[in-house]
Amino acid sequence: MGRKLAVAGAALVVLVCSGAAVSRRYADMTDEEVSQAIARAQSIPSVGERVQAVSEGFLGTPYLLGNMGEGPDGDGRDKDPRYNVKSMDCTTMVEHALAFALSDSLPAARQRLDQIRYTTGKVGYGTRRHWPEAQWVRGLVEEGYLQDVTSEVAGKAVPVETASVTIDPALFKKSVHAQSMPLTDEEVPRGTFSVPFIPMERLPDVLTRLEPGLVINIVKAPKEGLLVRISHQGLVVKKDGKVFIRHASSVGQKAVIDEAVPDFLERQRKAKSWPTVGFQFLRPKAPTR
């Protein structure tokens, strides 16, 4: 997962929204141009299709783990910027895509980004949704930004399994996360947190039920010293009848890419040091608040 959680190429892209095309990355635009692209995308009625459309502008953006923080408004624990389209990690790409899809301008998207990244929108290192199972998925579902549709995608014939992780301050201090996450005891989640997943080998069986803009979480096997099961995130993209995973990749081009599902699956199968067991799917929504 794209956090400081222990665990390039400038592609030419075309973002088509309501008939208008923007033929370069957000990283190469002015703030006003980004704002105009966001506004044009709002004519797309489906939130999922809008997420796919706005995320086109991230293709080719260089990968950088932990590229965002609280900027000058935090307590000094992470001074990286709160908004950043010059670089991406897997989570910040998804967060920006959600914020852009749910806003009509860049100023509105930056406010929305804070609401997505932080519990109830309260900006702070300790209130950031660092933990995927305990905070990111759970919080965004509860606050109306995402809906878990793993079982819906699976259908009746494909099994759905559960991945769980237990976190508390004592376990945190013994984990590898403590080396890079300066959290106080009060800021560490407490409890056992679970997410559903479709087994990796069954992904080809559900491709026809995947929708544009779904968030895909890569679920891993338990590993000693790691208090997470979700290691990486991306978006489902459908183009010309084919399904791709759009994600900020730390391998190969080390950039935001569209990866065909067969290639994506093959890489997951080759992950030996921390095996992939399956995938969770979340549908983006427009929150009521």
Side-chain angles (χ1 to χ4, degrees):
M1 178 138 175
R3 289 278 188 255
K4 295 174 181 175
L5 196 62
V7 276
L12 183 69
V13 299
V14 177
L15 170 62
V16 180
C17 297
S18 190
V22 180
S23 57
R24 60 194 190 280
R25 304 173 306 169
Y26 295 125
D28 301 321
M29 298 183 198
T30 65
D31 283 355
E32 180 58 31
E33 289 170 329
V34 173
S35 196
Q36 291 171 1
I38 291 171
R40 285 194 294 271
Q42 302 314 301
S43 64
I44 301 172
S46 163
V47 175
E49 291 178 359
R50 210 182 310 149
V51 167
Q52 173 169 322
V54 297
S55 62
E56 290 281 334
F58 300 123
L59 285 169
T61 305
Y63 174 88
L64 179 64
L65 178 62
N67 69 314
M68 290 176 62
E70 285 65 61
D73 300 320
D75 59 11
R77 282 183 278 181
D78 191 341
K79 297 181 181 180
D80 288 334
R82 295 211 323 261
Y83 164 78
N84 184 4
V85 295
K86 303 296 184 182
S87 61
M88 295 268 147
D89 65 29
C90 67
T91 299
T92 59
M93 190 276 289
V94 171
E95 291 171 338
H96 276 76
L98 293 174
F100 282 19
L102 297 172
S103 307
D104 59 6
S105 67
L106 179 56
R110 294 181 69 154
Q111 292 180 351
R112 182 69 74 180
L113 187 59
D114 285 344
Q115 294 168 355
I116 290 168
R117 284 177 56 76
Y118 300 96
T119 301
T120 64
K122 183 179 179 181
V123 175
Y125 186 85
T127 54
R128 198 195 307 172
R129 303 187 206 268
H130 296 279
W131 302 89
E133 300 86 359
Q135 295 175 325
W136 201 91
V137 171
R138 185 181 183 187
L140 291 179
V141 169
E142 288 179 352
E143 293 181 25
Y145 286 95
L146 296 172
Q147 175 189 2
D148 187 290
V149 291
T150 307
S151 293
E152 181 181 327
V153 170
K156 296 181 179 179
V158 175
V160 174
E161 300 181 20
T162 301
S164 299
V165 61
T166 299
I167 308 172
D168 62 35
L171 290 171
F172 171 72
K173 289 173 183 176
K174 296 177 182 178
S175 73
V176 297
H177 311 294
Q179 302 169 16
S180 58
M181 298 175 68
L183 293 169
T184 66
D185 285 357
E186 291 72 24
E187 294 166 343
V188 175
R190 291 168 168 81
T192 297
F193 308 94
S194 302
V195 294
F197 68 90
I198 293 170
M200 180 173 62
E201 64 273 12
R202 301 303 298 269
L203 184 61
D205 299 331
V206 303
L207 292 184
T208 58
R209 288 194 288 273
L210 295 181
E211 306 166 3
L214 288 182
V215 176
I216 178 173
N217 287 334
I218 288 73
V219 180
K220 295 286 191 172
K223 187 172 182 179
E224 185 71 25
L226 290 178
L227 306 182
V228 294
R229 297 288 300 274
I230 294 172
S231 68
H232 192 64
Q233 297 180 293
L235 298 169
V236 172
V237 168
K238 302 188 82 170
K239 298 185 294 186
D240 300 322
K242 296 181 180 179
V243 182
F244 298 82
I245 305 302
R246 177 169 295 162
H247 62 118
S249 177
S250 62
V251 299
Q253 298 178 44
K254 295 187 177 180
V256 178
I257 62 171
D258 281 349
E259 189 169 17
V261 165
D263 297 332
F264 175 77
L265 271 176
E266 182 61 23
R267 283 199 311 102
Q268 300 306 317
R269 292 189 185 102
K270 291 179 178 178
K272 303 302 182 185
S273 63
W274 195 12
T276 299
V277 295
F279 311 101
Q280 180 190 25
F281 292 96
L282 302 157
R283 180 180 291 136
K285 298 170 53 183
T288 55
R289 68 178 183 86

